[in-house]
Each structure stands twice: as C-alpha cells, then as structure tokens.
Amino acid sequence: MMSTTKKQWRERYLTTLGESGCEKRFWSLKKLAHDFGFVLGEQPFITRLFLENVMRNFESLADKENIASLQTLIKALSSGDCSNNFEFQFYPGRVLMQDYTGVPALADLAAIRDTLLAAGGDAEKINPICPVDLVIDHSVIVDEAGHAGALEHNRQREMERNQERYKFLKWAQGAFDNLTVVPPGNGICHQVNLEYFAQVVNEKDGVLFPDNLVGTDSHTTMINGLGVLGWGVGGIEAEAVMLGQPLSLNAPIIIGVKLEGELTPGVTATDLVLSITEILRNYGVVGKFVEFHGAGVSALNVADRATIANMAPEYGATCALFPIDAKVIEYLTLTNRPTSLVKRVYDYAVAQGLFYDTDHETKSPIYSECLAINLNDIIPSVAGPKRPQDRLPLAAIKRKTLEEIELSGHALPDETKQRQSESNQSQSQLIDGDLVIAAITSCTNTSNPSVMLLAGLLAKSAVEKGLTVNPHVKTSLAPGSQVVARYLDSLGLQAYLDQLGFQRVGFGCTTCIGNSGPLNDDLESVIKQGNLQVSAVLSGNRNFEGRVHPAVRLNWLASPPLVIAFALTGHTRINFDIEPLGVDKENKPVFLSDIWPQSSQLEHAMLAVNQTLYAQSYKNISQGDQLWNDLHVEQTICFPWNSASTYIRKPPFLDRKDKPGAVAGAKILAILGDSITTDHISPAGQMSIDSPAGEYLSKQNIKPEQFNSYGSRRGNHEVMVRGTFANKRLKNKMVTPMEGGFTRLSNDFSRGLNSAEPVSIFSASQTYTDNNIPLVIFAGKEYGTGSSRDWAAKGCLLLNVKAVIAESFERIHRSNLVGMGIMPLQLLPEVTLNDLKLLGDESITIQWPVDLDENKLEPKQRLSLIITSVHPSSSKSSAPASQTISVILRIDNSRELDYFFAGGVLPYIAQQFIGKQSINRYR
C-alpha cells in the first residue's frame, strides 16, 4: 500500500542503519524501488541520487494532494523516459564559492538585507540556510615569476590590491550564518573541496544522506570524481539555493559513457580528458548528465576521475559523475578523512545500492543514451589554439601552429631564423609561434599527483642533461593546494623545477583564469608592433581568445610535463616525435622521449604522497596568514556601503522598477558568431587604460597599475557594466573586421553622426538607453559557453539588453539570463543566424501571445520575432524589408518563469521575504 500522508511516508522509508547503540537512519531507495515497482540496479546512479533527494525532501510538500504528485514524480523519474516532459525540485545540500563570484553574490545578499530592513522586516533573517564554503583563490596575479621571491611578492601585491574586497568577505563571514571563508594562499576551491570539504555522505540529526552541492564556478563538477553529485550554477541561482530555494530541473537526459581498457604508459590523465572533451563535445551532451561506468572506471584513481569530471563544462555536460567504489574509499583514507566518515560512506553506499563493484561492469544501468571510450586508444595530446575541445595529437601542434601563422597573413618562419632565435635568445628575435607563457596551473591538473610528479621528474632529467628555458618564456607553477608543495618538496623535485624557472608563484588559479600578469621584458610591445602570433602553453581547462593573456593569440592546453617540454623548446613549431627539444651538455640532441620519466620512477615517487601530508596541509586552513589576520572590520547587521568605493558598491538590481514585457522597436547591440564565451561577454582578466572600465577608473583617480582585474572588480557594477563585451578578441559582425568591444549606432539613429564609425558597446548602450530604446543581441551556436559567470548576464541587463537571440545556448548562461529577467530566444533548428542576413540597422519586435488583454507565457513556447529593415533598398543585404520568424522561449520550467516575471531571482527572493509571495505569470 502506497504511503499517502507525511507520517506514513516517514514511517515507511526512514530506515535504520548500523548496530544497536550507534544506529543512524536513512531514506531507503530499496524500499522505494519495491513499492514503486522498479529495479534499483537498472537506475543510473544519478537517478538514484535524484530519487533520494526527492524522497527525503517530501516535507516541503503541503498536503495530501502533493504527496500524490510526489508519487507521480517518482514514477516519472524511475521510468527513465526523458521524453516525458516533467520537472522536479532538487535541494542541494551546500554551496561552494570562489571569491570572484562569491563577492558579488554576498553583496547581493547584503543588498537584500537592506531591502528587507527598509520594508520594516528583520534584516538578520537573511542568512544562508545551507552551508556555504568560500575559498579565496582567484585574485592572485603572477606579477612576478621565475625567481625565489615571486611567491611572497605576489601574495603581498594580492593583499594590497584586494584589501577592500577581503574586508568585505571578513564582514560577511561574521555577519552571515553558515558561511565559511577560507583565506587566500591555501589553494583552489575545487581542489580544496576534493581533498577536504567533501564528505560523500553527510549526517544531520542522525540521518544520513548523500553529499551534493552546487557551486558558483562551472568546474564544481570536479567533485563528481569522488562520487559526489554537484555542478556549477550562476551566482544568481546559488543565492537562491543559499536562501532555501530549490533548483527546478527538467526530466534528466543521462548519457552512459562506458570506459574500457586502460591508459598505456606515457599517456596521462590530461591526454584522456582532452580526448573525452573532444568526443563528448562532438557527440552533443550540452545540458545533459554524463555518468561513467565500465571496467575502465576501475583503472582510474580518484585524481584521474576528478581531472575528467573537472572539464565537464568544456564538453558541455551538466555533470560527469563517477560512482562510489573502493577507489573512493582509498582516497578518503589517503586524504585524512576521519575513520568514522570512511566507514559511514562505505556502509551507507552498500545499504543504498550506491556502491559500485565488478558486478556493475557487466550489468550496466539503463541510460537515455550510450557510448563507449577505450582508454587504450588515448594518445598524448594538446588542445587549442582557441577552444578546449579542439584536441590535436601532440605531434600535430607544429602543423597547426604554422597554419595559424599563415592564416594571419604572415610568412612562415624559415629554419634559419628559428635556429637564430633559439641560439641568440634575444628579445628582438621573437617570431611567430614562439612561446611566451608556460604555466603549470589549474585544479584540473594540480590536483593530480601523477601528472605533477611527472613534471617534477621530467624537470630533474632536463636539468641533469643541461637543458635550459629561453628567457622570453614566462614560467610559473601555481599549486592547487599546499599538499602539492609538500610532496614536491619532500622528494626534492621542486629544486629542479626552480632551476627551470618554475618556482611557485601562488596557491590559486592564476594563469588559468587570466591572471598571467605581464610578459617577460615588456614583450607585449614587441608582439603588438609585429602583430605576432605567439603561444602560451598551460595545464589549465580553458584557452578561449583573450582569456590567458590579451597579447597571446595561440593558447594550448597540455599536461604539466608537456608544459615544461615546450618551455625547454621555447616555441610550438615542433613535432616532438621527430625533432629534439634541445641539446645536452655535450651538444647532442635531446628528444622528449629521452627525458620522459619511466613508469617505475613515477610509481616510486607516488609513495611519497601520503596521509600525513594532507593532515599537515589542512590542519590550519581557516586561520590565514599575518596579512589576512591583520585585516580588521566592524561587525554590523547591514553592510556600510561606501559610494566612493571602486571595489564594493551596493548592487542596483533590487532598485530597478522595470519588469519584463513584450519588446517593440529594439535595436541590435551586437551580432556575434559561434562559441561566444562568457569570457567574451564579461572578461575576468586585465583591463586596458583606454577601455570604458579603464577610463572610469582613471576618472576615480585610480592608476593603471592599480586597476587589478575585471574579476576582482565584480563588486562594483559601474566597472562591470563597462567591461561587458570588452574582450579584445570579441568579433562583432557589425564592425567587421575590427576586434574588441565595439559596435555602431543604427543608421536611423546616428543623427548626423557617421553611423559607420565604431563606438564602444557601453557608449552605444548609454545612447540608446537615454532614448528609451531597448536592445537585443544576436549570436550563433553555443552562446555563453565557459565559466558560470553571472556578470555575463548582469552586465547585459545593465546595458538594457532585453533578449538574446541565438542558435543555441550553453546551460549555465541561459539560466543566468533568465535569472536576470532577460529572454533567451533560440532560433528553430532549420534557421541559422546567417539566414537572417542582418546588417545591424534593423528594428526588432518580440511579440508575446495575446489572450484577451493579458500577455501570457509558458515555458519553451514559440514567440514571433519581427525583423524590420530600416533601409530595405540597401544593396548590402538581400533580406526582405520585414520578416517574421518563430523563436523558442528558452525559459525551461515554471520556476524560471516565476523568476523572470519577478524581474529576476533577486527581486523574487526579496519579495518572498517581504511577504509578496504571489507572482502573476499573466501580466
């Protein structure tokens, strides 16, 4: 008999685990499967975790009728029928943040406190309901590198630049409940999450349940390698979760990826993840859930799995889950988790049918879609030069580099000049294809001891043979946690890395997020003068245009040992299979194979990675150094905003009075191509003095050397709106062939000005906004790929963008647009951006369906988009004077619709606390 009341539900499914005297309780999936008639072993692990979450959070339901709807939902989830268009509420257990996204999110919460107080409410009610862990890891910049004092210098400069931001975070830690702030200098949030925060199985009030989370960084998926379900969301969604709102998810499409075989010697986890990224991006997993299974899973340790899961955003998946198995238990023990926790994880996983063993390798769950990858087929690889999914065999990087040089219109460097450059090593000899950045960076790889030890062992062999690094290569090593430093030091390998210039520069994201700092010897001016196509090689997860360094056009992702190999060579015009990377002390050629470590060397080195190192590294993680501890703040309920601040300003989003509505007479702000990333939309790295943001800061008497980065200024909307679309590599078709954050005013709006004259996107937005003209953006495929960057949506809102019309959207950015009250409109599959033949002068109207006197919207419905040419006789376009096309409203579920009609997530939440809980969808 089905449970029909909350009491019956609890009595039936809340089950006892453990021996008498130390009993715990848990919500039994096996009983649920029995009652609802499905086979638990046939359910993907992701589905099992969703079912447990739905079952456990039944108490959010109000009445008997909703218990019935819960039963319907469980039947739908367990059926595996993703064509059944249902939605369900998922309650993440915690939130993970880094400081770039954490500062604006906490500023939004502080602003909600102000709003509630102004409405006569209790501001102290605004607190995170679930645990929130914020790791300060994104702000350290590689100002200096290649010498012993670089680490201390960069840390000092970090504190000088970010003191105001860090004081705000200290205030937040004291003002908000359930918020933990990890001070700078401890590591990268995802690596700290993997090695320390994640519990795999949590306990609250004697009830056990799976650890799951969302994070304000897209690479939150890294924790999937430990069997923990989690993924990245925008800061806007994370704020809603923090304040008790569930995520509203549609019927999940779960892709089963069967791993077979094992990696061959000399092939790294980096090579594997770049290959998987290419395969899954080509297959098409955007917005889908990926789950790995098969015998090959057992051939990978947790660090390897975490590397693969980390890059889920790069192949487009919502998550990339590995199961809980013996390797997870080993890793929890290695990383010094308490013995009681390790036992709890094992006992719970076994009791719930969540423990993966060899039986699962022959009896797979039933997935929505399936594909297989053989680990034996993976070869040494790199990816680039502009997208992480563009994998190449290592041997092909020479050919690709030369192709890029030719595409730029430059003549190929001849062998004589190449040899002169390599032997002379002078600044004047810098040529196309030369390497200017070699960075061992990013949690993707620094969390993996095997590739880090390979790098150290390769450095040792290179030094012993007398190899050196060219002076034009800026080398750096940024470990993702203190553990890395400890095992490299204990083995004596850091000394060899130091001799090649790979001294530690900081414990944070550095080059991977764009904080690469200045190039050696003012090479930026040399590159600009010659318009050189120079390279960067990094062990990161993203290489989008303009991200790593504004002057570097060719950016390659590679494993840490390959980063060192390219640094030794000094360029990427090389095929390591047949060409030496240098000469030894006796002037004999040295090939990569000559210095690549043997498997036995690596196995021996891995023995030094032990439980003691993890215990030492994390015992004082919350204390901070003297620079952090010297920061003093006054604790208040509401934050004392300073209107003169250039770092922390009160966010304006709750003060906006305009609400979403039909759009008429809009102008086009930009026409963009495929794969526009959130780095294109809202850069995180350096800002130039002649950019709108740079001009604003200069007017505030901020010197260019104090500009810091866009990411560090996310607490100031005045900087960020000016930085929206300010990426130097942005290509707006309205001003082709010009690159950067420029557009032009519509012909009918130029008012005597030369409409062909480019203006900044910010300036154009201001002109249109002053005249009450709404704006739209057009784009191609994969719009918004990359980081979970909420300012890519917030900035568009402040530019007065009402809709983004694209061929397709990446998951997180689409959600962020909705969360800020902006319509994501998707072209039908048979229509491309080029088919519209846009010039940029057109007038755009978005019609909502009219039902009597009320405009009515539903999730994913079709709307009419009317494109009217201002000058239909123009010879530039063959488009008709007016064309009406259908577009799909990519507001995907009813909760998103509620957010949209409230004007965004923040007004919605504020209204909930103030008491205006009824959101009218029919305006």
Side-chain angles (χ1 to χ4, degrees), residues 826-831 862-865 884-888:
Q826 188 163 313
L827 299 175
L828 299 184
E830 63 270 18
V831 179
R862 291 194 180 189
L863 303 180
S864 292
L865 185 75
T884 300
I885 62 172
S886 291
V887 291
I888 302 169

Side-chain angles (χ1 to χ4, degrees), residues 627-647:
L627 293 172
W628 172 263
N629 293 328
D630 285 345
L631 293 177
H632 298 291
V633 296
E634 181 182 351
Q635 287 305 148
T636 55
I637 296 172
C638 291
F639 184 71
W641 306 103
N642 178 2
S643 60
S645 172
T646 59
Y647 274 109

Side-chain angles (χ1 to χ4, degrees), residues 33 465 556 651 765 798 881 895 901:
K465 286 188 176 294
W556 310 93
S765 164
L798 297 183
R895 182 168 291 271
F901 275 109

Side-chain angles (χ1 to χ4, degrees), residues 767-896:
T767 300
Y768 286 126
T769 301
D770 289 344
N771 289 272
N772 297 314
I773 296 176
L775 297 169
V776 300
I777 290 167
F778 281 88
K781 300 179 182 68
E782 300 175 357
Y783 182 78
T785 189
S787 301
S788 59
R789 198 163 290 177
D790 55 349
W791 262 109
K794 287 179 174 178
C796 285
L797 178 71
L798 297 183
L799 288 176
N800 201 31
V801 172
K802 302 299 183 182
V804 177
I805 303 104
E807 292 181 40
S808 65
F809 293 89
E810 290 289 289
R811 174 186 62 86
I812 297 176
H813 186 61
R814 181 206 63 78
S815 175
N816 280 342
L817 289 172
V818 175
M820 294 310 300
I822 297 173
M823 279 186 285
L825 301 175
Q826 188 163 313
L827 299 175
L828 299 184
E830 63 270 18
V831 179
T832 68
L833 178 63
N834 290 335
D835 293 338
L836 303 181
K837 297 180 172 55
L838 299 172
L839 293 177
D841 298 312
E842 295 83 356
S843 178
I844 308 298
T845 294
I846 303 166
Q847 288 188 336
W848 289 9
V850 177
D851 183 6
L852 300 176
D853 294 326
E854 296 177 321
N855 291 321
K856 180 179 180 181
L857 287 184
E858 297 293 340
K860 294 185 178 180
Q861 76 178 94
R862 291 194 180 189
L863 303 180
S864 292
L865 185 75
I866 302 173
I867 305 171
T868 304
S869 177
V870 174
H871 300 291
S873 60
S874 171
S875 60
K876 294 181 181 180
S877 174
S878 57
S882 179
Q883 52 180 322
T884 300
I885 62 172
S886 291
V887 291
I888 302 169
L889 176 66
R890 285 301 311 279
I891 297 177
D892 287 355
N893 55 59
S894 59
R895 182 168 291 271
E896 286 188 346

